[in-house]
Amino acid sequence: MRAVGTSLRLSRSSLRAHKRRFAGTFLAVFLGVSFLAGTMVMGDTLRASFDTLFTNAYSGTDVVVRSADVITVSGQGQGTREPVSTELLGKLEAVPGVAAVAPDVQGAGQLIGSDGKPVGGQGPPTLAGNWIADAGLNPYALAEGHVPAAHGQAVINRGAAKKGGLHIGDTTTLRTPDPVRVTVVGIATFGGEDGMGQTTFTGLTRADAERYLTPKAGEASTILVRAGPGVSQRQLADRVGQVLPKGIEAITGQQATNENLDMVSGRFLTLFTTLLTVFAGIALLVATFSIHNTFAIVVAQRTRENALLRALGASRRQVLGQTLAEAVAVALVASVAGLLGGIGIAAGLQALFPAVGFPFPAGSLVLGATALAVPLAVGLVVCVGSALLPAVRAGRTAPLAALRETAVDHSGASRSRAVLGGAALAAGVALTVAGAGGGRNVWLAASGAVLTVAAFVVLGPVASSYAVRALGSPLVRLRGVTGALARRNALRSPKRTAATATALMIGVTVVSLFTVFGASLKATMDQTVSRSFAGDVAISAPVRGAGGTGLSPKLAPAVAKLPEVRTAVGLGGGVATVDGGGRQLTVTDPAALSRVLDLGTVDGSLAALGGDGIVVSRTEADKHGWHPGSSIPLAFADGDRRTFTVRAVYGESGLAGSYVITRAAWAPHRVQDSDTLVAVSFRAGVGTDRGKAAVEQVARSYGNPDVQTRSEYAASSAAGVDMFLTLIYALLALAVVIALLGIANTLTLAVHERTRELGLLRAVGQTRAQLRAMVRWESVLVAAFGTVGGLGLGGFLGWALVRASDSAGTGAFAVPLVQLAVVLLVGLVAGVLAGWRPARRAAGLDVLRAIAAE
Amino acid sequence: MTAAARVVDAVKVYGGGDAEVRALDGVTAEFPAGRFTAIMGPSGSGKSTLMHCAAGLDTLSSGSAFIGGTELGALGDRQLTLLRRERIGFVFQAFNLLPTLTVAENITLPQDLAGTRADDDWVDALIDVVGLRDRLLHRPSELSGGQQQRVAVARALAGRPEVVFADEPTGNLDSRSGAEVLELLGRAVHGMGRTVVMVTHDPVAAAHADEVVFLADGRLVDRMADPTAEKVLDRLKAFDGAAGAKEVVS
């Protein structure tokens, strides 16, 4: 016990004496833990807010009656269900224990604000439905005005009213997507809030809702049932279930809440938090290198001290314990601080998101036990784990080392390291190439990528000698002796240089990987549009899943009537089950389609498909062995099964999708009709400007959707990639900052270690400016090594990711030279910044103290 | 005879209040050009401080220090650095060489820092004088202590400085290596016309000088021309007696 006490006392005094040395470690752990804790707290908070939202939405609903059949297309969270007949209402009211029944006729409906711009539509749904009279079944409560009582009257939620600048008495347009004139007669609240998150809601009379939101009257999306006193949800659901016809089911309100919650968290929250957790992981990985390096250097510098302790009778365990105790102390303090920082981050983001229009509901922060325990544990494990090896090395210090001249770590790269690393690199690259190139096996490529990264880390010390020498040679030519000294210093300890640079390398690798991937994605999209869009302008609007309502199906015929327009074709969407899986169908006029979209080589005829003709892409046809004349059975959401005949197979599938049927074939199965894209080509001699203006004129009366030229359309298709990349860069900035702290910390320690040398240099005539430049250039060299390695590795892995994820083999691979040059520049500038403080500290050294130092 | 370096009424005070230490307490001394001067005195007599201040490594609390006609107190850090680089050579007790540079690079380091070209013939001749021609591409860690100090002497002389300051240059060496270094410093003065000021506590080393300056308690107490080891030792013993007596009194 006494022995442990001694170790602890020594670590405490060491920590106090070397606060600066541990500042870098502290910051690395702090930032990593903050990020992780922030992510987890935010995830919990969001989940809780959504939980509250959906609980409120179904608070008074005990049973939901809906169609049992659902078709889910991969990539779309919410499946497609057929409406239910409102004829059931009477039957349901007669079920014992039922207090109230109401049809819920719901669809997409986007309001146009007083400024002529659509309200919402960037993610959260814009909904319209019938205003339900029963207060228990209606999650919205009337706050002002009156309920819609006549045709054209609407109640809107307060959030939408505020956003759109709409007031009671105002008349505006509701896109359903057909434009409908509505007059605001009431303002509603949702569970006391302005709305269900950022969702907008427009309540109409039941007649209006049926007219605009369903293909035929007498149908509702679902029927909501409220139980009388003493009847449980389960009991009521069972009783209701007995009177329902085949194909219709009854679920409890609780089930409906859970389904919605699962949908949101499965599709959106999980993706979001996973992404953030991955970046927290990268940040912590980078931190691991920085922390390990700090402890390794501290132990190396303390060799004499430790040897003296050993000579005086301290056991190995005590010396090891001292270093570990230091690590634990730093880890604890930094992790706790990081936890608080993380809560701060979560609070900040929560405040920030609504301000930038992000669809996050408000609510107080949720601090779950896991969200607090995991980051704390991770911080401790990372920090203590990183210090473990150096601590063991400290324990192994021979007592004799006290008598020797302190040797700075001169350890070079061993031969076995070069051999092992080289073999791993060769195997990693081979696996990656095999997985990405020929076989398109994502797992093969991924394991190859991991092996390649590991090989880079192992080979770091081997490569650092060559790389620093090569990178430094222009420096020597440029900066003479200052450059030469900087290069020699960077070459002194290849292991240390490599470890310092590795942290940055990992950060840069991920940055350049995403840069290459993003650029390739954009190139692919651009290629898709430019290859398959043969029209002059495109009209598009976000569809229901993306928060909008799509385009009115009447828009394309209206545009087609313009004298400037040769062809205007609307493309809508539908779903059906083909060969056991949900498939997205393109609903359009196939004959006209070939005039605005380039379909490649068409085998067969696109004309006169009728109600049972289908056109499929070459890829799908080859996969299933179809050819013109083949029969394909399709099952629709309404339970209807129909066999279609393949009339043609086309080559290009970009904008046209993989399955194309006519409007006539889709009509019996449609729910709320909308187009996602109207492709327009002009008559010969009509300029783009004139044609576009004419189309815009027509579009204005259909809810004013965007009219874009070919290049604008291509650019807007790729705009999402840019947003995604910006987010990624912002997240990766953290990892790069941690890497920089690592470089700065290593340099500070090196400066401390080389005090006498620096003093000598100053004595024999090195100016302060030269000394500063020398330290800064060393920093730049280390940063350049890390950046160049990261660019190379990231570029290669980016290529692998592009190839491995491109199952169709039609994607483009692009190397964005400009962006990568910017990354390189940022890396070098970062090196200058990292070297700034150590350089200043070095230049501030007193010459005499430096040469007089022990 | 002109002075290569001199100090006038040099006072150096460290600390303040009760902890005040007067390392130099009004020293006036000249180090004539073309001569080999040794500064001697017991530990704490201020001999190293005197050298540091005379060489522009440290600043005086009051009084003035000159290199040739230049007053050091008037110079800023940058000018002092350039002065050290161009007009002064240094040999320290230990750690004279940069471990990352080769012997040849260490020798021309001050000129390289200045961005000027060393005088090749002169440096070439120096290398023969110090006897390290076959070691030019070695690193300091591959040399013995004596060889390292000889490289340091070569570096100190490479820029043909007005004065070379040597701070206990033989302190870490065995007597044979020490003698070689001292002989080198002597040849620099008498064979090449350089000026050397050397701080030492070793009477044998001091005997290589043309003149010895004795310091005690921060004051210049004596000068001795044409010293021998015995004469110096006797003089030092007298100090020890005086210092002991003083302690008893206080």
Side-chain angles (χ1 to χ4, degrees), chain B residues 89-91 96-97 107 126 129-130 146-158 164 166 169 180-182 184-186 188 196:
Chain B
F90 283 102
V91 181
N96 264 302
L97 308 178
I107 292 176
L126 270 178
V129 170
V130 299
Q147 285 170 327
Q148 288 187 22
Q149 285 305 74
R150 271 149 53 200
V151 176
V153 173
R155 186 201 51 220
L157 294 170
V164 172
E180 279 174 12
V181 169
L182 290 165
L184 265 180
L185 288 172
V196 172

PDB file of all heavy atoms in Angstrom, chain B residues 89-91 96-97 107 126 129-130 146-158 164 166 169 180-182 184-186 188 196:
ATOM      1  N   GLY B  89      34.206  33.538 -31.868  1.00  0.00           N
ATOM      2  CA  GLY B  89      34.144  32.086 -31.932  1.00  0.00           C
ATOM      3  C   GLY B  89      33.943  31.540 -30.526  1.00  0.00           C
ATOM      4  O   GLY B  89      34.348  32.181 -29.542  1.00  0.00           O
ATOM      5  N   PHE B  90      33.246  30.379 -30.438  1.00  0.00           N
ATOM      6  CA  PHE B  90      32.997  29.818 -29.109  1.00  0.00           C
ATOM      7  C   PHE B  90      33.460  28.374 -29.006  1.00  0.00           C
ATOM      8  O   PHE B  90      33.281  27.594 -29.943  1.00  0.00           O
ATOM      9  CB  PHE B  90      31.485  29.806 -28.810  1.00  0.00           C
ATOM     10  CG  PHE B  90      30.954  31.156 -28.447  1.00  0.00           C
ATOM     11  CD1 PHE B  90      30.245  31.914 -29.372  1.00  0.00           C
ATOM     12  CD2 PHE B  90      31.153  31.665 -27.168  1.00  0.00           C
ATOM     13  CE1 PHE B  90      29.748  33.140 -29.035  1.00  0.00           C
ATOM     14  CE2 PHE B  90      30.646  32.904 -26.837  1.00  0.00           C
ATOM     15  CZ  PHE B  90      29.945  33.645 -27.775  1.00  0.00           C
ATOM     16  N   VAL B  91      34.047  28.054 -27.846  1.00  0.00           N
ATOM     17  CA  VAL B  91      34.280  26.646 -27.513  1.00  0.00           C
ATOM     18  C   VAL B  91      33.743  26.451 -26.098  1.00  0.00           C
ATOM     19  O   VAL B  91      34.145  27.161 -25.182  1.00  0.00           O
ATOM     20  CB  VAL B  91      35.793  26.296 -27.535  1.00  0.00           C
ATOM     21  CG1 VAL B  91      35.977  24.821 -27.209  1.00  0.00           C
ATOM     22  CG2 VAL B  91      36.397  26.628 -28.892  1.00  0.00           C
ATOM     23  N   ASN B  96      29.348  20.868 -27.807  1.00  0.00           N
ATOM     24  CA  ASN B  96      29.731  21.934 -28.716  1.00  0.00           C
ATOM     25  C   ASN B  96      29.190  21.737 -30.113  1.00  0.00           C
ATOM     26  O   ASN B  96      29.202  22.656 -30.901  1.00  0.00           O
ATOM     27  CB  ASN B  96      31.249  21.953 -28.822  1.00  0.00           C
ATOM     28  CG  ASN B  96      31.833  22.965 -27.882  1.00  0.00           C
ATOM     29  OD1 ASN B  96      31.500  24.130 -27.984  1.00  0.00           O
ATOM     30  ND2 ASN B  96      32.664  22.525 -26.965  1.00  0.00           N
ATOM     31  N   LEU B  97      28.760  20.492 -30.390  1.00  0.00           N
ATOM     32  CA  LEU B  97      28.440  20.159 -31.781  1.00  0.00           C
ATOM     33  C   LEU B  97      26.986  19.739 -31.916  1.00  0.00           C
ATOM     34  O   LEU B  97      26.409  19.169 -30.973  1.00  0.00           O
ATOM     35  CB  LEU B  97      29.336  19.007 -32.245  1.00  0.00           C
ATOM     36  CG  LEU B  97      30.827  19.236 -32.015  1.00  0.00           C
ATOM     37  CD1 LEU B  97      31.617  18.012 -32.453  1.00  0.00           C
ATOM     38  CD2 LEU B  97      31.304  20.465 -32.764  1.00  0.00           C
ATOM     39  N   ILE B 107      31.721  22.450 -38.632  1.00  0.00           N
ATOM     40  CA  ILE B 107      32.794  23.442 -38.697  1.00  0.00           C
ATOM     41  C   ILE B 107      32.323  24.721 -39.376  1.00  0.00           C
ATOM     42  O   ILE B 107      32.602  25.826 -38.931  1.00  0.00           O
ATOM     43  CB  ILE B 107      34.035  22.848 -39.415  1.00  0.00           C
ATOM     44  CG1 ILE B 107      34.661  21.747 -38.535  1.00  0.00           C
ATOM     45  CG2 ILE B 107      35.066  23.936 -39.700  1.00  0.00           C
ATOM     46  CD1 ILE B 107      35.818  21.021 -39.177  1.00  0.00           C
ATOM     47  N   LEU B 126      42.667  24.595 -41.559  1.00  0.00           N
ATOM     48  CA  LEU B 126      42.254  24.338 -40.180  1.00  0.00           C
ATOM     49  C   LEU B 126      42.045  22.853 -39.927  1.00  0.00           C
ATOM     50  O   LEU B 126      42.404  22.323 -38.881  1.00  0.00           O
ATOM     51  CB  LEU B 126      40.937  25.061 -39.900  1.00  0.00           C
ATOM     52  CG  LEU B 126      40.988  26.484 -39.360  1.00  0.00           C
ATOM     53  CD1 LEU B 126      39.580  27.015 -39.205  1.00  0.00           C
ATOM     54  CD2 LEU B 126      41.727  26.500 -38.020  1.00  0.00           C
ATOM     55  N   VAL B 129      45.177  21.286 -39.355  1.00  0.00           N
ATOM     56  CA  VAL B 129      45.731  21.667 -38.055  1.00  0.00           C
ATOM     57  C   VAL B 129      45.096  20.840 -36.943  1.00  0.00           C
ATOM     58  O   VAL B 129      45.756  20.321 -36.061  1.00  0.00           O
ATOM     59  CB  VAL B 129      45.529  23.182 -37.800  1.00  0.00           C
ATOM     60  CG1 VAL B 129      45.872  23.525 -36.355  1.00  0.00           C
ATOM     61  CG2 VAL B 129      46.384  23.990 -38.759  1.00  0.00           C
ATOM     62  N   VAL B 130      43.748  20.701 -36.984  1.00  0.00           N
ATOM     63  CA  VAL B 130      43.086  19.954 -35.913  1.00  0.00           C
ATOM     64  C   VAL B 130      43.156  18.443 -36.151  1.00  0.00           C
ATOM     65  O   VAL B 130      42.769  17.656 -35.287  1.00  0.00           O
ATOM     66  CB  VAL B 130      41.605  20.385 -35.710  1.00  0.00           C
ATOM     67  CG1 VAL B 130      41.536  21.851 -35.330  1.00  0.00           C
ATOM     68  CG2 VAL B 130      40.786  20.122 -36.960  1.00  0.00           C
ATOM     69  N   GLY B 146      37.872  14.275 -27.052  1.00  0.00           N
ATOM     70  CA  GLY B 146      38.941  15.161 -27.497  1.00  0.00           C
ATOM     71  C   GLY B 146      38.746  15.570 -28.943  1.00  0.00           C
ATOM     72  O   GLY B 146      38.919  16.742 -29.302  1.00  0.00           O
ATOM     73  N   GLN B 147      38.349  14.606 -29.746  1.00  0.00           N
ATOM     74  CA  GLN B 147      38.128  14.924 -31.168  1.00  0.00           C
ATOM     75  C   GLN B 147      36.995  15.928 -31.307  1.00  0.00           C
ATOM     76  O   GLN B 147      37.053  16.860 -32.105  1.00  0.00           O
ATOM     77  CB  GLN B 147      37.793  13.637 -31.927  1.00  0.00           C
ATOM     78  CG  GLN B 147      39.001  12.754 -32.156  1.00  0.00           C
ATOM     79  CD  GLN B 147      38.617  11.387 -32.692  1.00  0.00           C
ATOM     80  OE1 GLN B 147      37.557  10.861 -32.354  1.00  0.00           O
ATOM     81  NE2 GLN B 147      39.476  10.813 -33.507  1.00  0.00           N
ATOM     82  N   GLN B 148      35.955  15.733 -30.494  1.00  0.00           N
ATOM     83  CA  GLN B 148      34.813  16.659 -30.556  1.00  0.00           C
ATOM     84  C   GLN B 148      35.262  18.082 -30.219  1.00  0.00           C
ATOM     85  O   GLN B 148      34.871  19.040 -30.884  1.00  0.00           O
ATOM     86  CB  GLN B 148      33.720  16.215 -29.569  1.00  0.00           C
ATOM     87  CG  GLN B 148      33.000  14.968 -30.025  1.00  0.00           C
ATOM     88  CD  GLN B 148      31.804  14.637 -29.112  1.00  0.00           C
ATOM     89  OE1 GLN B 148      31.283  15.497 -28.423  1.00  0.00           O
ATOM     90  NE2 GLN B 148      31.420  13.381 -29.108  1.00  0.00           N
ATOM     91  N   GLN B 149      36.114  18.208 -29.179  1.00  0.00           N
ATOM     92  CA  GLN B 149      36.555  19.548 -28.805  1.00  0.00           C
ATOM     93  C   GLN B 149      37.433  20.151 -29.892  1.00  0.00           C
ATOM     94  O   GLN B 149      37.426  21.354 -30.118  1.00  0.00           O
ATOM     95  CB  GLN B 149      37.326  19.532 -27.476  1.00  0.00           C
ATOM     96  CG  GLN B 149      36.449  19.353 -26.238  1.00  0.00           C
ATOM     97  CD  GLN B 149      35.336  20.380 -26.108  1.00  0.00           C
ATOM     98  OE1 GLN B 149      34.348  20.312 -26.832  1.00  0.00           O
ATOM     99  NE2 GLN B 149      35.486  21.320 -25.193  1.00  0.00           N
ATOM    100  N   ARG B 150      38.195  19.304 -30.594  1.00  0.00           N
ATOM    101  CA  ARG B 150      39.038  19.829 -31.681  1.00  0.00           C
ATOM    102  C   ARG B 150      38.162  20.338 -32.816  1.00  0.00           C
ATOM    103  O   ARG B 150      38.453  21.366 -33.437  1.00  0.00           O
ATOM    104  CB  ARG B 150      40.022  18.756 -32.166  1.00  0.00           C
ATOM    105  CG  ARG B 150      41.321  18.809 -31.365  1.00  0.00           C
ATOM    106  CD  ARG B 150      42.010  17.496 -31.198  1.00  0.00           C
ATOM    107  NE  ARG B 150      42.272  16.765 -32.431  1.00  0.00           N
ATOM    108  CZ  ARG B 150      42.514  15.456 -32.462  1.00  0.00           C
ATOM    109  NH1 ARG B 150      42.524  14.760 -31.330  1.00  0.00           N
ATOM    110  NH2 ARG B 150      42.736  14.859 -33.592  1.00  0.00           N
ATOM    111  N   VAL B 151      37.057  19.620 -33.069  1.00  0.00           N
ATOM    112  CA  VAL B 151      36.114  20.119 -34.086  1.00  0.00           C
ATOM    113  C   VAL B 151      35.572  21.475 -33.647  1.00  0.00           C
ATOM    114  O   VAL B 151      35.457  22.411 -34.437  1.00  0.00           O
ATOM    115  CB  VAL B 151      34.935  19.133 -34.293  1.00  0.00           C
ATOM    116  CG1 VAL B 151      33.921  19.712 -35.271  1.00  0.00           C
ATOM    117  CG2 VAL B 151      35.445  17.798 -34.792  1.00  0.00           C
ATOM    118  N   ALA B 152      35.261  21.580 -32.347  1.00  0.00           N
ATOM    119  CA  ALA B 152      34.723  22.835 -31.831  1.00  0.00           C
ATOM    120  C   ALA B 152      35.721  23.972 -32.027  1.00  0.00           C
ATOM    121  O   ALA B 152      35.341  25.094 -32.387  1.00  0.00           O
ATOM    122  CB  ALA B 152      34.359  22.686 -30.362  1.00  0.00           C
ATOM    123  N   VAL B 153      37.011  23.673 -31.801  1.00  0.00           N
ATOM    124  CA  VAL B 153      38.030  24.708 -31.990  1.00  0.00           C
ATOM    125  C   VAL B 153      38.076  25.117 -33.465  1.00  0.00           C
ATOM    126  O   VAL B 153      38.127  26.302 -33.797  1.00  0.00           O
ATOM    127  CB  VAL B 153      39.415  24.204 -31.512  1.00  0.00           C
ATOM    128  CG1 VAL B 153      40.504  25.207 -31.876  1.00  0.00           C
ATOM    129  CG2 VAL B 153      39.403  23.947 -30.009  1.00  0.00           C
ATOM    130  N   ALA B 154      38.026  24.115 -34.340  1.00  0.00           N
ATOM    131  CA  ALA B 154      38.043  24.421 -35.772  1.00  0.00           C
ATOM    132  C   ALA B 154      36.863  25.304 -36.134  1.00  0.00           C
ATOM    133  O   ALA B 154      36.971  26.264 -36.898  1.00  0.00           O
ATOM    134  CB  ALA B 154      38.011  23.134 -36.594  1.00  0.00           C
ATOM    135  N   ARG B 155      35.662  24.965 -35.592  1.00  0.00           N
ATOM    136  CA  ARG B 155      34.484  25.773 -35.883  1.00  0.00           C
ATOM    137  C   ARG B 155      34.678  27.211 -35.375  1.00  0.00           C
ATOM    138  O   ARG B 155      34.356  28.180 -36.049  1.00  0.00           O
ATOM    139  CB  ARG B 155      33.239  25.191 -35.230  1.00  0.00           C
ATOM    140  CG  ARG B 155      32.012  25.964 -35.657  1.00  0.00           C
ATOM    141  CD  ARG B 155      30.839  25.829 -34.723  1.00  0.00           C
ATOM    142  NE  ARG B 155      31.196  26.096 -33.354  1.00  0.00           N
ATOM    143  CZ  ARG B 155      30.731  25.407 -32.327  1.00  0.00           C
ATOM    144  NH1 ARG B 155      29.895  24.419 -32.528  1.00  0.00           N
ATOM    145  NH2 ARG B 155      31.104  25.711 -31.108  1.00  0.00           N
ATOM    146  N   ALA B 156      35.253  27.323 -34.158  1.00  0.00           N
ATOM    147  CA  ALA B 156      35.421  28.645 -33.568  1.00  0.00           C
ATOM    148  C   ALA B 156      36.346  29.511 -34.419  1.00  0.00           C
ATOM    149  O   ALA B 156      36.189  30.728 -34.475  1.00  0.00           O
ATOM    150  CB  ALA B 156      35.961  28.514 -32.145  1.00  0.00           C
ATOM    151  N   LEU B 157      37.304  28.862 -35.090  1.00  0.00           N
ATOM    152  CA  LEU B 157      38.289  29.624 -35.868  1.00  0.00           C
ATOM    153  C   LEU B 157      37.884  29.801 -37.331  1.00  0.00           C
ATOM    154  O   LEU B 157      38.460  30.639 -38.030  1.00  0.00           O
ATOM    155  CB  LEU B 157      39.642  28.915 -35.804  1.00  0.00           C
ATOM    156  CG  LEU B 157      40.300  28.883 -34.407  1.00  0.00           C
ATOM    157  CD1 LEU B 157      41.497  27.941 -34.415  1.00  0.00           C
ATOM    158  CD2 LEU B 157      40.724  30.292 -34.001  1.00  0.00           C
ATOM    159  N   ALA B 158      36.899  29.020 -37.795  1.00  0.00           N
ATOM    160  CA  ALA B 158      36.600  28.961 -39.228  1.00  0.00           C
ATOM    161  C   ALA B 158      36.232  30.326 -39.801  1.00  0.00           C
ATOM    162  O   ALA B 158      36.569  30.632 -40.939  1.00  0.00           O
ATOM    163  CB  ALA B 158      35.460  27.968 -39.488  1.00  0.00           C
ATOM    164  N   VAL B 164      38.158  34.496 -29.789  1.00  0.00           N
ATOM    165  CA  VAL B 164      37.548  33.199 -29.494  1.00  0.00           C
ATOM    166  C   VAL B 164      37.395  33.102 -27.986  1.00  0.00           C
ATOM    167  O   VAL B 164      38.341  33.317 -27.249  1.00  0.00           O
ATOM    168  CB  VAL B 164      38.443  32.046 -29.999  1.00  0.00           C
ATOM    169  CG1 VAL B 164      37.897  30.704 -29.499  1.00  0.00           C
ATOM    170  CG2 VAL B 164      38.537  32.065 -31.514  1.00  0.00           C
ATOM    171  N   ALA B 166      36.592  30.633 -24.904  1.00  0.00           N
ATOM    172  CA  ALA B 166      36.543  29.206 -24.590  1.00  0.00           C
ATOM    173  C   ALA B 166      36.176  29.065 -23.114  1.00  0.00           C
ATOM    174  O   ALA B 166      36.820  29.643 -22.247  1.00  0.00           O
ATOM    175  CB  ALA B 166      37.890  28.564 -24.870  1.00  0.00           C
ATOM    176  N   PRO B 169      37.289  24.609 -21.811  1.00  0.00           N
ATOM    177  CA  PRO B 169      37.305  23.718 -22.988  1.00  0.00           C
ATOM    178  C   PRO B 169      37.877  22.337 -22.675  1.00  0.00           C
ATOM    179  O   PRO B 169      37.638  21.396 -23.423  1.00  0.00           O
ATOM    180  CB  PRO B 169      38.201  24.462 -23.986  1.00  0.00           C
ATOM    181  CG  PRO B 169      39.053  25.346 -23.153  1.00  0.00           C
ATOM    182  CD  PRO B 169      38.231  25.733 -21.963  1.00  0.00           C
ATOM    183  N   GLU B 180      46.109  18.530 -26.001  1.00  0.00           N
ATOM    184  CA  GLU B 180      46.020  18.732 -27.454  1.00  0.00           C
ATOM    185  C   GLU B 180      45.163  19.943 -27.789  1.00  0.00           C
ATOM    186  O   GLU B 180      45.494  20.754 -28.649  1.00  0.00           O
ATOM    187  CB  GLU B 180      45.389  17.489 -28.108  1.00  0.00           C
ATOM    188  CG  GLU B 180      46.372  16.349 -28.317  1.00  0.00           C
ATOM    189  CD  GLU B 180      45.681  15.084 -28.838  1.00  0.00           C
ATOM    190  OE1 GLU B 180      44.487  15.180 -29.240  1.00  0.00           O
ATOM    191  OE2 GLU B 180      46.312  14.033 -28.828  1.00  0.00           O
ATOM    192  N   VAL B 181      44.026  20.057 -27.081  1.00  0.00           N
ATOM    193  CA  VAL B 181      43.122  21.177 -27.341  1.00  0.00           C
ATOM    194  C   VAL B 181      43.795  22.496 -26.973  1.00  0.00           C
ATOM    195  O   VAL B 181      43.710  23.484 -27.713  1.00  0.00           O
ATOM    196  CB  VAL B 181      41.803  20.983 -26.557  1.00  0.00           C
ATOM    197  CG1 VAL B 181      40.961  22.244 -26.598  1.00  0.00           C
ATOM    198  CG2 VAL B 181      41.031  19.804 -27.124  1.00  0.00           C
ATOM    199  N   LEU B 182      44.481  22.503 -25.818  1.00  0.00           N
ATOM    200  CA  LEU B 182      45.140  23.740 -25.386  1.00  0.00           C
ATOM    201  C   LEU B 182      46.238  24.134 -26.354  1.00  0.00           C
ATOM    202  O   LEU B 182      46.441  25.311 -26.666  1.00  0.00           O
ATOM    203  CB  LEU B 182      45.716  23.549 -23.983  1.00  0.00           C
ATOM    204  CG  LEU B 182      44.630  23.442 -22.897  1.00  0.00           C
ATOM    205  CD1 LEU B 182      45.215  22.884 -21.612  1.00  0.00           C
ATOM    206  CD2 LEU B 182      44.007  24.813 -22.674  1.00  0.00           C
ATOM    207  N   LEU B 184      46.259  23.487 -29.465  1.00  0.00           N
ATOM    208  CA  LEU B 184      45.572  24.045 -30.639  1.00  0.00           C
ATOM    209  C   LEU B 184      45.229  25.507 -30.423  1.00  0.00           C
ATOM    210  O   LEU B 184      45.442  26.348 -31.303  1.00  0.00           O
ATOM    211  CB  LEU B 184      44.263  23.283 -30.878  1.00  0.00           C
ATOM    212  CG  LEU B 184      44.269  22.152 -31.868  1.00  0.00           C
ATOM    213  CD1 LEU B 184      42.881  21.545 -31.931  1.00  0.00           C
ATOM    214  CD2 LEU B 184      44.673  22.679 -33.240  1.00  0.00           C
ATOM    215  N   LEU B 185      44.696  25.807 -29.238  1.00  0.00           N
ATOM    216  CA  LEU B 185      44.314  27.190 -28.955  1.00  0.00           C
ATOM    217  C   LEU B 185      45.559  28.083 -28.962  1.00  0.00           C
ATOM    218  O   LEU B 185      45.542  29.205 -29.474  1.00  0.00           O
ATOM    219  CB  LEU B 185      43.606  27.278 -27.596  1.00  0.00           C
ATOM    220  CG  LEU B 185      42.177  26.690 -27.568  1.00  0.00           C
ATOM    221  CD1 LEU B 185      41.637  26.651 -26.143  1.00  0.00           C
ATOM    222  CD2 LEU B 185      41.242  27.485 -28.471  1.00  0.00           C
ATOM    223  N   GLY B 186      46.652  27.552 -28.422  1.00  0.00           N
ATOM    224  CA  GLY B 186      47.909  28.310 -28.419  1.00  0.00           C
ATOM    225  C   GLY B 186      48.386  28.583 -29.838  1.00  0.00           C
ATOM    226  O   GLY B 186      48.793  29.694 -30.171  1.00  0.00           O
ATOM    227  N   ALA B 188      46.565  28.789 -32.437  1.00  0.00           N
ATOM    228  CA  ALA B 188      45.666  29.747 -33.060  1.00  0.00           C
ATOM    229  C   ALA B 188      46.137  31.168 -32.774  1.00  0.00           C
ATOM    230  O   ALA B 188      46.050  32.060 -33.622  1.00  0.00           O
ATOM    231  CB  ALA B 188      44.243  29.558 -32.534  1.00  0.00           C
ATOM    232  N   VAL B 196      42.453  34.670 -28.043  1.00  0.00           N
ATOM    233  CA  VAL B 196      41.663  33.673 -27.312  1.00  0.00           C
ATOM    234  C   VAL B 196      41.487  34.119 -25.869  1.00  0.00           C
ATOM    235  O   VAL B 196      42.445  34.565 -25.238  1.00  0.00           O
ATOM    236  CB  VAL B 196      42.344  32.278 -27.359  1.00  0.00           C
ATOM    237  CG1 VAL B 196      41.606  31.302 -26.433  1.00  0.00           C
ATOM    238  CG2 VAL B 196      42.376  31.742 -28.783  1.00  0.00           C
TER     239      VAL B 196
END
